[in-house]
Amino acid sequence: MVSDPQRGQRGQRGTSGSGGGSGASDQTGPEDRKPQSDEAHSAFTPPLGVPYPPLPEDEHPTSEFALPAGLRPEAPTEQEGSAFTRPSSTTGQTPLPAPVGATAMSLAFTPPHGIPAVSLTKEAPWQDRMRTMLRMPVHERPVPERPERGEEDTGPAVPRVLDLTLRIGEILLAGGEGAEDVEAAMFGVAHAYGLERVEPTVTFTLLSISYQPSLVDDPVTASRTVRRRGVDYNRLSAVFRLVDDIASEGITLEEAYRGLAEIRRNRHPYPSWALTVASGLLSGAASMLVGGELLVFVAAAVGSMLGDRLAWLASARGLPEFYQFVVAAMPPAAVGVAFGLAHASVSASAVITGGLFALIPGRALVAGVHDGLTGYYITAAARLLEVGYLIVGIVVGVLSVLYIGLQLNPGLRRLNPEEALGAYNEPVVQITASMLLALAFCVLLQQERHTVAFATLNGGVAWVVYGALHYVAEINPVPATAIAAGLVGLFGQLLSRYRYASALPYVTAAIGPLLPGSATYFGLLNFAQGHLPEGLTSLVQAASLALAIAVGVNLGAEVARLFLRAPGVEEAGGRRAAKRTRGF
């Protein structure tokens, strides 16, 4: 056995110390306080006579990763938010561990202090609140505040909420509302009933909504197809009020279903005969805008009413809308050709132009351009394709009648584009005609009676602005039309926000006086006479005017939204729009 020299020396010193006297047994050194065993000693034991180092205050060993004395520790990294949890600054809960990988990269732009919760009160119209959330990235959408539920109160059933959301979206989309506004309404209804992680999707004929309770639960998806469309702004306004009650007042699901059933049972505010009279009144007023007199007014009104009745008959027989427009465009053109053949002192071109005003699908055109400008390209393409088909139907109906009239009498001077419509400028007559035209449009659109006065006044303002820019300032018709339409959209949005309603009843009828009826007629007449270059020029001008109307209305609406503070502007960095690529 190998002996330990240190152990032997310590043993000898201990023996000699104990043999020095009896008092030596009370004197103990540091080595006597340690257990006398091999396991108690190591190579790191201090030699004899060297005191032990003082114990650290925290009684914890250090390592090479410990922060050296005198250095200040770094501030902890701010906890990132999540798309599925409320930020820690608004909930007061302990933040979860920071995500890593792709999740952390997607959350790199989350505000450092969290996203403030949106208060679903009537501080601003629900359209603005929901549109703001739709335009935010998914992981930055705030969670609306709601009263805490008890353990037994689990809220409404998810399938019923999704069904109600789809039914409301169906009425809005069928009534001509823009895709963004339909999604905002669906988003607001779902959020009001506690479905936070929802994604509504709107296309031209299909509505769908998906809800995922959490990351570990299966998503629930429902869809609905829009097969029939009808123009009824009375019903559209009622649905907007219902959505406002759901999103701001917090009505129950049963009350919402009851209100939706009442909306569906409501009759149209105007009977069918009133719509026919309004169609004639619209065409007569439009003929006065381009220089028509009393006889022209009556002729245009009669032709338009005949076309309206034929279109109703074609609709009752189940013919597609394309053929309905073909049939509706033929009587006004036939009345104008008849006056031209009779060599009467009546502007046949004014009669035909007035009939075209009642047929140009301005409502669908504005909705299509609005969807394209807001990023809904599939829906915009479908709407514009529909507009193209309807315009082709008008072209077929008018051209067929004009071709027959020119074959009967090739020298129809009253149909000559150079002599047809002069530079007619009578402000009093034209302003009165524009307001009358807007009033007739309100009846055709089945608007509520309390919105008719505002829309009529807005139509008069549109023509005053256009006339001042085009006739007085001699500005090109396209920018003059765009500016006038922009004011129409601005006033319409402000009126709709004041009343918490849709902007369509205040805008669609008001743009009636700006529709390119005369340019469309000139293009068709040149085609019928075989003048293709002139016809193309006129049709291009008509298309430019139509696009100017649509863009102006959309721009005016966006400017109107700037006057109201969007929810969370100061905290979230303003109202965001979708970020697009810039040519690369």
Side-chain angles (χ1 to χ4, degrees), residues 153-446:
D153 187 10
T154 59
V158 172
R160 294 193 66 197
V161 174
L162 297 183
D163 177 72
L164 176 67
T165 303
L166 290 173
R167 290 178 183 272
I168 290 176
E170 178 188 11
I171 296 178
L172 294 177
L173 186 62
E177 196 66 59
E180 186 181 33
D181 293 326
V182 176
E183 283 195 3
M186 296 172 65
F187 202 78
V189 172
H191 265 240
Y193 289 116
L195 305 187
E196 300 169 356
R197 289 171 288 274
V198 294
E199 282 298 329
T201 303
V202 176
T203 57
F204 184 57
T205 57
L206 181 63
L207 296 164
S208 64
I209 185 169
S210 179
Y211 168 66
Q212 188 174 14
S214 65
L215 290 175
V216 297
D217 294 326
D218 296 331
V220 180
T221 303
S223 61
R224 197 173 184 88
T225 302
V226 179
R227 302 188 183 278
R228 296 185 61 184
R229 294 181 181 84
V231 181
D232 189 350
Y233 283 1
N234 181 32
R235 178 177 295 181
L236 194 70
S237 300
V239 173
F240 264 70
R241 288 194 297 270
L242 177 62
V243 176
D244 182 58
D245 292 338
I246 294 173
S248 301
E249 304 297 335
I251 64 175
T252 63
L253 190 63
E254 288 72 18
E255 293 174 344
Y257 264 109
R258 192 179 304 115
L260 187 62
E262 292 176 358
I263 292 173
R264 289 184 175 275
R265 286 195 300 265
N266 284 344
R267 289 179 172 270
H268 298 305
Y270 308 104
S272 60
W273 64 265
L275 300 182
T276 302
V277 174
S279 177
L281 185 63
L282 189 154
S283 296
S287 65
M288 294 178 62
L289 283 177
V290 293
E293 299 177 351
L294 180 60
L295 186 58
V296 174
F297 180 94
V298 174
V302 171
S304 181
M305 287 190 290
L306 288 176
D308 182 77
R309 287 292 91 190
L310 288 177
W312 276 98
L313 182 62
S315 175
R317 296 294 185 270
L319 290 178
E321 197 172 12
F322 173 84
Y323 299 105
Q324 297 177 27
F325 270 77
V326 173
V327 172
M330 296 177 71
V335 172
V337 170
F339 276 105
L341 291 175
H343 297 283
S345 59
V346 175
S347 177
S349 297
V351 175
I352 301 175
T353 300
L356 290 177
F357 266 84
L359 297 175
I360 296 176
R363 174 181 58 89
L365 177 65
V366 171
V369 174
H370 172 75
D371 290 339
L373 294 177
T374 52
Y376 296 84
Y377 299 115
I378 297 178
T379 307
R383 288 186 189 272
L384 294 178
L385 183 61
E386 180 190 31
V387 171
Y389 271 104
L390 298 182
I391 291 179
V392 169
I394 298 172
V395 169
V396 171
V398 174
L399 274 182
S400 59
V401 175
L402 289 178
Y403 181 77
I404 294 174
L406 291 175
Q407 292 298 321
L408 295 176
N409 186 0
L412 284 175
R413 296 184 59 83
R414 306 301 299 179
L415 295 180
N416 193 351
E418 287 77 9
E419 300 180 5
L421 301 176
Y424 183 72
N425 184 15
E426 292 292 337
V428 177
V429 176
Q430 289 177 315
I431 293 174
T432 304
S434 63
M435 297 180 67
L436 190 62
L437 191 152
L439 175 63
F441 252 124
C442 291
V443 177
L444 288 175
L445 296 173
Q446 298 281 1

Side-chain angles (χ1 to χ4, degrees), residues 36-121:
Q36 301 298 322
S37 63
D38 292 340
E39 289 78 3
H41 304 281
S42 67
F44 299 98
T45 303
L48 183 64
V50 178
Y52 278 87
L55 296 176
E57 295 181 359
D58 53 358
E59 297 185 358
H60 290 286
T62 59
S63 67
E64 62 271 21
F65 300 102
L67 188 68
L71 293 182
R72 181 179 301 175
E74 296 181 0
T77 305
E78 186 71 25
Q79 180 65 42
E80 297 289 351
S82 171
F84 301 98
T85 57
R86 188 176 297 181
S88 58
S89 61
T90 59
T91 60
Q93 300 176 358
T94 302
L96 298 175
V100 295
T103 306
M105 293 178 63
S106 64
L107 302 177
F109 299 97
T110 303
H113 300 290
I115 303 172
V118 174
S119 178
L120 291 181
T121 60

Side-chain angles (χ1 to χ4, degrees), residues 140 159 278 446 553 567:
E140 294 185 10
Q446 298 281 1
V553 169

Side-chain angles (χ1 to χ4, degrees), residues 514-530:
L514 303 176
L515 293 176
S518 58
T520 304
Y521 164 71
F522 286 155
L524 300 181
L525 182 59
N526 281 308
F527 276 138
Q529 293 178 341

